[in-house]
Amino acid sequence: QIIKYVDESAFIDYKKKKQYIKFFRAQLSNFELIYFFYQTFTLKGSGWIKSGYVEKYELVKNIEQILDSGIRPKEYFSKIIFDWEITR
């Protein structure tokens, strides 16, 4: 709900929106971000992909390059510049 509210706020420019959502994302632990990543592939969480919020606001940019399951998040969210891409 917070992300949707910020995204739909006409009085906030895009740069500020990204900053506010970055503050929100910073409150989540790595475990919570990975859980969120997996949830986006469920029926209940599919709205995050449909809305475009995951890539638009890079909601999972802090997770690892390869998860314990062997899944590579970049294969699913190619538009996100992950932290591990920047620190190479």
Side-chain angles (χ1 to χ4, degrees):
Q1 293 293 348
I2 293 171
I3 293 172
K4 183 178 180 181
Y5 174 78
V6 171
D7 184 67
E8 293 178 356
S9 295
F11 59 90
I12 303 173
D13 65 41
Y14 180 68
K15 186 176 178 180
K16 280 285 189 195
K17 288 179 183 185
K18 282 196 80 159
Q19 185 178 18
Y20 291 145
I21 293 172
K22 182 179 178 181
F23 291 145
F24 173 77
R25 187 183 67 232
Q27 302 306 307
L28 302 175
S29 68
N30 285 342
F31 177 79
E32 290 168 321
L33 287 170
I34 291 169
Y35 180 82
F36 173 75
F37 169 79
Y38 286 121
Q39 185 190 24
T40 62
F41 301 107
T42 67
L43 185 60
K44 191 173 185 176
S46 64
W48 287 99
I49 294 176
K50 290 177 187 172
S51 68
Y53 294 155
V54 177
E55 289 189 316
K56 183 177 184 178
Y57 295 110
E58 301 181 316
L59 297 177
V60 293
K61 74 176 277 165
N62 301 83
I63 63 176
E64 301 168 15
Q65 183 175 6
I66 302 173
L67 302 178
D68 290 341
S69 62
I71 291 177
R72 298 172 185 267
K74 187 70 173 184
E75 292 176 5
Y76 298 92
F77 298 112
S78 60
K79 294 179 184 174
I80 294 176
I81 299 172
F82 289 85
D83 285 349
W84 50 264
E85 292 179 285
I86 298 168
T87 57
R88 282 190 205 176

